[in-house]
Amino acid sequence: MDDIRAEQPDSDFVTFWNEVLVPKFTRFRHVLVGGLGRHSDAIFPLLPVSPGDRIVDAGAGFGDTAIMLARRAGPEGRVTAIDCCDGFLDHGRRDAAAAGVANIDWVVADIQRHPFAPFHDLMFSRFGTMFFENPVVALRNMRTALKPGGRLVMIVWRTIADNPWLGLAKEVALAHLPPPGEDADTCGPGPFSMAGQEMVTAQLRAAGYDDIAFRRVDAMIRIGNDIEDAIAFQLALGPAGEVYREAGALGEAKRPAIEADMRARLLPFVTEDGVQMMSSSWVISAKNPG
């Protein structure tokens, strides 16, 4: 396994990810990997991967999908797992080493600006492309990694209305706190920025792709081991977490009331296997024309 670190200066979004979000994502890795995995698992058997393929996992996060892709490509294939957060990739490096998966290069870089080589068969991304500062620029740069006829497959969230696992908690938070201002610290456009088919199709075409297709995936996901774990997750990450974080001292003062309301709203979703709620994504595929 090779470890590559880019020398480009970080954007404000990349800095926010590393300084604010990585510790929170790591704390709730048990929620995120399991929940997000419901969506990638639904389409992994259908991915156009053959032994010997060269693959990029863009926004590889904790590395679980990179390891799965590396196994599919086999020892003669290779995966480039790229993410702007070294703190995420550290988990992937350790997990890959423990699993004996050696055909992964771990790259710490901003996908929008990384200089790719155009020989890859597949560019894959699970819930990573929604946060690009400039989606068309980023998607175009990702296409530079693909050989003629190579495929892009990305998983993105549909609308917040289709994802009550995040929408319900935001409603509760906004019942107590003001919405974040325009100057709020942010990790990028946000988790629902690629929910619109027409808009994303236009972005992909502007970036040079064709043969664009959307497939909807709905899945119940586990948002906490129990209701207290689920509340802590919602107030740390996602839309409710942003509302709470940006409210500062007011959020701290109102936290008991927010938690009480959130507990009441989440109670119907408690099961023997944790707190389960509905989520919905698009699996979007496109081709780099030859």
Side-chain angles (χ1 to χ4, degrees), residues 2-280:
D2 290 331
D3 193 357
I4 302 167
R5 297 169 191 269
E7 296 182 358
Q8 305 133 336
D10 288 343
S11 70
D12 290 343
F13 291 163
V14 169
T15 298
F16 185 81
W17 270 101
N18 279 282
E19 293 182 356
V20 177
L21 294 182
V22 167
K24 294 182 179 183
F25 270 68
T26 300
R27 177 186 173 190
F28 292 101
R29 184 186 180 199
H30 64 290
V31 173
L32 294 162
V33 171
L36 305 188
R38 296 281 182 91
H39 292 265
S40 49
D41 289 350
I43 59 98
F44 246 74
L46 306 176
L47 286 178
V49 177
S50 300
D53 277 357
R54 299 281 184 150
I55 303 165
V56 178
D57 187 349
F62 293 117
D64 52 304
T65 51
I67 293 170
M68 294 168 66
L69 289 165
R71 285 173 168 155
R72 286 278 302 275
E76 63 272 38
R78 198 151 194 93
V79 172
T80 297
I82 180 170
D83 200 286
C84 66
C85 300
D86 197 26
F88 289 155
L89 295 182
D90 268 343
H91 292 273
R93 294 183 190 100
R94 290 195 295 268
D95 289 347
V101 177
N103 56 330
I104 303 176
D105 298 318
W106 303 95
V107 179
V108 184
D110 184 345
I111 296 163
Q112 282 193 165
R113 297 178 288 169
H114 182 69
F116 289 106
F119 57 72
H120 297 88
D121 302 279
L122 175 67
M123 170 70 69
F124 176 80
S125 182
R126 184 184 68 185
F127 300 118
T129 57
M130 307 96 63
F131 302 101
F132 288 140
E133 184 176 1
N134 189 321
V136 173
V137 169
L139 291 168
R140 185 181 295 124
N141 194 49
M142 291 165 72
R143 189 170 65 84
T144 68
L146 294 171
K147 66 185 185 182
R151 304 290 306 188
L152 165 71
V153 177
M154 60 182 184
I155 307 175
V156 304
W157 294 120
R158 297 179 71 245
T159 68
I160 192 168
D162 296 309
N163 283 280
W165 73 286
L166 292 174
L168 182 149
K170 183 179 182 181
E171 290 176 10
V172 173
L174 287 175
H176 295 267
L177 300 170
E182 292 185 3
D183 60 344
D185 290 329
T186 179
C187 59
F192 308 107
S193 68
M194 287 187 158
Q197 284 182 271
E198 185 175 342
M199 179 192 67
V200 177
T201 298
Q203 290 173 338
L204 287 165
R205 286 178 176 156
Y209 296 87
D210 63 14
D211 194 18
I212 300 163
F214 288 71
R215 176 186 174 186
R216 176 174 174 167
V217 174
D218 296 329
M220 294 293 292
I221 61 174
R222 192 169 182 264
I223 66 166
N225 294 333
D226 53 36
I227 201 163
E228 301 306 321
D229 191 35
I231 291 170
F233 167 73
Q234 296 288 353
L235 291 179
L237 293 168
E242 181 184 28
V243 172
Y244 175 75
R245 181 183 67 247
E246 289 299 316
L250 179 62
E252 289 288 343
K254 294 201 171 185
R255 181 160 184 150
I258 295 170
E259 289 183 342
D261 284 358
M262 205 170 286
R263 191 174 293 109
R265 295 286 300 275
L266 290 176
L267 191 60
F269 303 99
V270 176
T271 73
E272 293 181 356
D273 186 27
V275 183
Q276 302 269 350
M277 295 188 73
M278 180 56 68
S279 63
S280 186

